[in-house]
Amino acid sequence: MSDSCLANRIAFVDLTTRDVRVEATADYAAGFLGGRGLNQRLLLDFERGVTTPFDSRALMVFGAGRLVGTGAPAAVRLNIDSRNVFTGGIGSSNVGGRLGSELKHAGFDHLVVAGRSEKPVFIFVHDGNVEIHDARELWGQSIFETGRRLRSLLADERIRFLAIGPAGENRGWTSAVIEDTSRAAARCGLGAIMGYKNLKAIVARGFPKQKISTADPRGFSRVVGQLYKKLSDLPSVAGKRRWGTVAAIPPLNNYSAMPVRNFADEYLPEEKLNDYLPERFDPFLVGTVKSCVPCPIKCQHRYKSSNSEGLSADKLEANTVWDFGPRLGLTDPQDLLACHTLCTQYGLDMDSTAAAIAWAMDCFERGILSPSDTEGLLLHWGDPEVIFALLGKIALRQGIGDLLAEGSLRAARRIGRGSERFSFHIKRQDLIEPMRSCKGWALGVAVSPRGGTHTRGAPQTEFRGVDPETGKKIWGVETAGNPREYSGKARLVVYYERFHALLDSLGLCHFITNWSSPDLLGPPDLAELCSVALGETMAESEWMEVGERILSLEKIYNLIHTDFDRKADYPPEAFMEDPIRSGPFKGERLERQRWDEMLDEYYAIHDWDVATGYIREEALRNLGLARYSQALGNAGKLIR
């Protein structure tokens, strides 16, 4: 592939020795693009002898997608990849905003960070240079204050940064990495790994007029113009433009996808759903709606509530409502906004944090935990002051917060008393997604290599009520819009696994694609875009094979470093035993035999071993990944 749209440099940074080595991206990118794909290759090729995420030899790789900085629509995403503190396998997160573009314009596609600094530091990327700066005065500061001080220290208001808050500094597993005070690279405990490395922030400042070139500038301009027009004119983007992802709350409830009180139920009756309608947040909207540049959707909304000490909450997500509303029982929009702001300030992953709190509240209500376990806090559903207090305790690892800071499963194993029954997790990482009603969604969540997530292959077609004709035309799956149907869903999941891997490696946001709505961009659009941007003309099936290769790298990483086999791809037992209690899907649950049938088909499509879930040697060869056969063989995980 042409390297014409790349900053085309990778910086290898050793925090122990403070050495910086620079190599050409093109030496590694072939077949892996950039972003998530190239990050995975760099992890597999350069990480050696690591047995725990908290090891100075563990790597963190920060990579902007291949098209970031070119002006392609919504090409802004940056991937962070390392070891997952919950699972021991792949830890991977993707974030929007402007840091990825700024990194490219500063002259680099990827940063590979090794070692551990003796004292807190931040990395500053600018003018084609990578520098390590003292960050002692930033340590202990909130995300907002960190941003203010960084801009003052560097005398530049236009810097962009990724940083950890107190939660990451204290190595809380439920910590996140925050992009410029508005977006979170969440899940997998990546903030804790930065904290262990004493790395407070990554800061970037690009050349003011630096332009990332493309293979065919005139053709690229034409195609980008067509895509912008298509996206801008579609009614399916109106909801996100109006309310951001919070617009998804009512449709999710219609399909019984609400984690009500720690998954006790998955549906809210209309009178309770009214508490979470997107219009409820309108009175607290301030300023103008923003976007990651360039993006035609503009889903970033800024809110302010009296419950968050006057601080604004940028980029409110459906997850905020999901996590702290139905899951924990809060109903006041100002309380939800306050939770969003506090998680940002502390550098907490709201999904994993809320899951730990939900486990604790569930156990308290059942008498498994008592006030003596909680320092006198009465952990009742819907109490905002208790939830605010727990967020602070988790971030600082104080008292009950120290127990919850490593997630619900670790907490349950420490407490015992039958509490593990109420820890809902996949591959040992806390689960946020309800799974009983929509079978394809459930499979996509369960098989994700990073451990339970809906952004790595779980289809949304079931929530959209896609008709059979559209399902057959786009995905070859007539049942795509039927949530109760198991057949065909494995094929749908594999499609989106490949598609999402491709998107994350190009740096494109999922919200502009047919993952959000069938009328948005699909593989044919990406094939045309990549042809003019990268100078590489391939059929859409060939591009999807690139996605398969990238997904396989994550599978390889897990097989080398964990005990995951077929059993790791099952949902929590409760989702097979306890049905939904109310609503249109009352009585629905996952059936083990039908799940096994889906899983068999899923492995067969990937050409993985059906009995174990391991990768077959022939599949590695077909994808050009034979060089990893020896490592898998040494781990006893290669099927010949």
Side-chain angles (χ1 to χ4, degrees):
M1 292 183 182
S2 166
D3 64 358
S4 56
C5 75
L6 294 172
N8 200 32
R9 294 201 297 171
I10 301 171
F12 293 81
V13 183
D14 191 318
L15 295 178
T16 302
T17 63
R18 302 177 79 89
D19 289 334
V20 177
R21 183 180 88 255
V22 176
E23 295 192 24
T25 306
D27 292 344
Y28 301 96
F32 304 97
L33 295 173
R36 175 179 160 193
L38 185 47
N39 281 7
Q40 302 298 334
R41 178 181 178 178
L42 292 169
L43 269 181
L44 276 169
D45 288 1
F46 288 98
E47 193 176 72
R48 293 288 183 271
V50 177
T51 58
T52 168
F54 303 117
D55 183 322
S56 63
R57 295 167 295 181
L59 300 181
M60 290 196 79
V61 189
F62 303 79
R66 183 74 177 266
L67 295 181
V68 171
T70 64
V76 299
R77 309 291 295 190
L78 177 133
N79 232 78
I80 307 175
D81 292 272
S82 188
R83 189 71 63 95
N84 188 320
V85 301
F86 291 96
T87 73
I90 192 65
S92 183
S93 191
N94 186 272
V95 67
R98 302 191 181 187
L99 191 280
S101 298
E102 206 71 22
L103 184 67
K104 286 262 192 174
H105 289 134
F108 293 89
D109 300 309
H110 297 257
L111 301 178
V112 181
V113 180
R116 184 188 187 211
S117 176
E118 290 185 2
K119 298 175 181 178
V121 295
F122 69 88
I123 295 173
F124 184 31
V125 185
H126 68 107
D127 299 321
N129 299 307
V130 177
E131 301 167 354
I132 301 173
H133 289 246
D134 191 299
R136 280 175 289 183
E137 76 167 80
L138 304 176
W139 207 252
Q141 302 301 319
S142 71
I143 295 294
F144 291 2
E145 181 62 17
T146 296
R148 189 191 70 78
R149 294 194 184 197
L150 280 169
R151 292 184 174 100
S152 176
L153 277 170
L154 299 171
D156 191 341
E157 290 295 317
R158 295 183 61 186
I159 61 164
R160 301 293 175 180
F161 69 92
L162 288 165
I164 57 171
E169 294 172 359
N170 290 305
R171 303 183 205 170
W173 291 20
T174 67
S175 59
V177 183
I178 307 296
E179 193 275 341
D180 221 13
T181 74
S182 62
R183 290 168 169 80
R187 313 306 302 278
C188 309
L190 299 177
I193 299 176
M194 281 184 68
Y196 169 79
K197 290 182 174 296
N198 280 322
L199 177 59
K200 178 66 174 179
I202 304 285
V203 185
R205 179 69 161 93
F207 292 103
K209 296 183 179 180
Q210 174 81 357
K211 184 179 180 181
I212 307 299
S213 62
T214 56
D216 176 4
R218 182 174 296 181
F220 180 76
S221 180
R222 172 183 55 80
V223 172
V224 166
Q226 292 171 351
L227 296 180
Y228 263 96
K229 186 177 189 309
K230 176 179 179 178
L231 292 166
S232 298
D233 292 345
L234 289 171
S236 56
V237 306
K240 283 193 175 65
R241 189 176 291 147
R242 175 69 177 82
W243 290 296
T245 59
V246 180
I249 293 299
L252 288 170
N253 191 60
N254 291 341
Y255 286 88
S256 294
M258 286 290 109
V260 180
R261 296 195 175 188
N262 201 29
F263 299 110
D265 203 358
E266 296 186 4
Y267 177 77
L268 291 170
E270 185 175 352
E271 65 274 13
K272 292 187 178 181
L273 177 65
N274 288 338
D275 291 328
Y276 308 114
L277 296 178
E279 297 93 327
R280 291 264 287 164
F281 297 92
D282 285 350
F284 311 103
L285 185 64
V286 295
T288 57
V289 177
K290 297 181 179 180
S291 72
C292 303
V293 177
C295 179
I297 293 181
K298 298 183 178 179
C299 68
Q300 180 176 340
H301 299 67
R302 174 173 290 187
Y303 299 89
K304 186 175 289 188
S305 81
S306 59
N307 293 11
S308 54
E309 300 179 354
L311 295 171
S312 63
D314 280 1
K315 199 63 179 74
L316 179 70
E317 301 285 8
N319 299 52
T320 307
V321 181
W322 235 11
D323 288 329
F324 297 101
R327 188 163 199 169
L328 298 185
L330 296 182
T331 57
D332 188 330
Q334 296 199 79
D335 290 336
L336 296 171
L337 289 168
C339 287
H340 182 96
T341 302
L342 286 169
C343 285
T344 301
Q345 285 277 55
Y346 288 131
L348 285 168
D349 165 14
M350 65 179 68
D351 292 332
S352 297
T353 302
I357 294 174
W359 168 85
M361 287 186 162
D362 203 352
C363 290
F364 191 89
E365 293 279 358
R366 296 172 187 275
I368 297 172
L369 292 178
S370 69
S372 62
D373 297 306
T374 64
E375 304 164 283
L377 285 176
L378 305 180
L379 306 189
H380 296 308
W381 303 112
D383 188 330
E385 297 305 320
V386 166
I387 293 171
F388 298 161
L390 286 173
L391 292 177
K393 288 179 177 293
I394 291 170
L396 301 176
R397 300 197 69 148
Q398 295 176 344
I400 182 69
D402 185 57
L403 176 71
L404 301 181
E406 294 182 359
S408 69
L409 180 61
R410 293 268 290 193
R413 288 175 173 173
R414 287 171 62 181
I415 289 292
R417 310 171 200 166
S419 63
E420 195 168 328
R421 164 78 178 179
F422 308 106
S423 167
F424 296 94
H425 62 91
I426 289 180
K427 299 178 176 69
R428 298 188 287 269
Q429 179 163 246
D430 280 303
L431 181 69
I432 70 165
E433 296 89 353
M435 297 172 64
R436 296 177 177 102
S437 60
C438 297
K439 306 308 186 284
W441 167 270
L443 179 64
V445 168
V447 298
S448 168
R450 79 171 187 165
T453 188
H454 61 277
T455 55
R456 297 295 177 97
Q460 295 196 86
T461 53
E462 295 156 322
F463 301 126
R464 311 295 180 193
V466 171
D467 62 84
E469 183 179 350
T470 300
K472 184 176 182 179
K473 178 181 178 182
I474 298 178
W475 302 284
V477 180
E478 292 187 24
T479 60
N482 185 340
R484 289 184 169 92
E485 183 56 64
Y486 290 82
S487 65
K489 297 303 172 63
R491 183 173 181 178
L492 198 59
V493 168
V494 172
Y495 172 100
Y496 275 114
E497 285 184 323
R498 292 168 175 169
F499 194 36
H500 284 170
L502 183 61
L503 291 170
D504 292 345
S505 302
L506 292 171
L508 297 176
C509 179
H510 297 186
F511 293 159
I512 66 167
T513 73
N514 66 25
W515 184 65
S516 287
S517 177
D519 57 353
L520 298 180
L521 307 187
D525 299 293
L526 264 60
E528 185 178 15
L529 179 63
C530 288
S531 175
V532 293
L534 308 179
E536 183 74 14
T537 300
M538 296 197 301
E540 60 179 277
S541 60
E542 294 176 288
W543 284 110
M544 294 291 268
E545 184 175 301
V546 175
E548 175 75 11
R549 182 180 301 117
I550 292 162
L551 176 77
S552 297
L553 290 183
E554 297 177 334
K555 181 78 170 180
I556 291 167
Y557 192 93
N558 278 356
L559 290 174
I560 292 172
H561 296 294
T562 75
D563 59 355
F564 296 156
D565 55 15
R566 183 183 174 109
K567 294 189 293 294
D569 289 336
Y570 282 83
E573 285 291 325
F575 291 177
M576 293 186 172
E577 297 172 357
D578 304 328
I580 295 174
R581 296 181 179 182
S582 61
F585 288 83
K586 182 179 178 180
E588 197 72 21
R589 58 187 174 85
L590 297 172
E591 300 174 34
R592 186 177 298 276
Q593 181 178 341
R594 300 301 305 277
W595 186 272
D596 278 324
E597 291 169 0
M598 277 202 305
L599 206 53
D600 287 350
E601 184 181 3
Y602 169 80
Y603 290 145
I605 295 171
H606 279 303
D607 198 18
W608 298 346
D609 181 63
V610 171
T612 61
Y614 297 167
I615 293 183
R616 288 158 39 83
E617 188 172 29
E618 183 179 0
L620 292 178
R621 286 197 301 268
N622 291 340
L623 291 168
L625 301 177
R627 62 182 175 276
Y628 301 112
S629 296
Q630 183 175 348
L632 286 173
N634 292 342
K637 304 286 182 66
L638 183 66
I639 302 297
R640 292 186 166 88

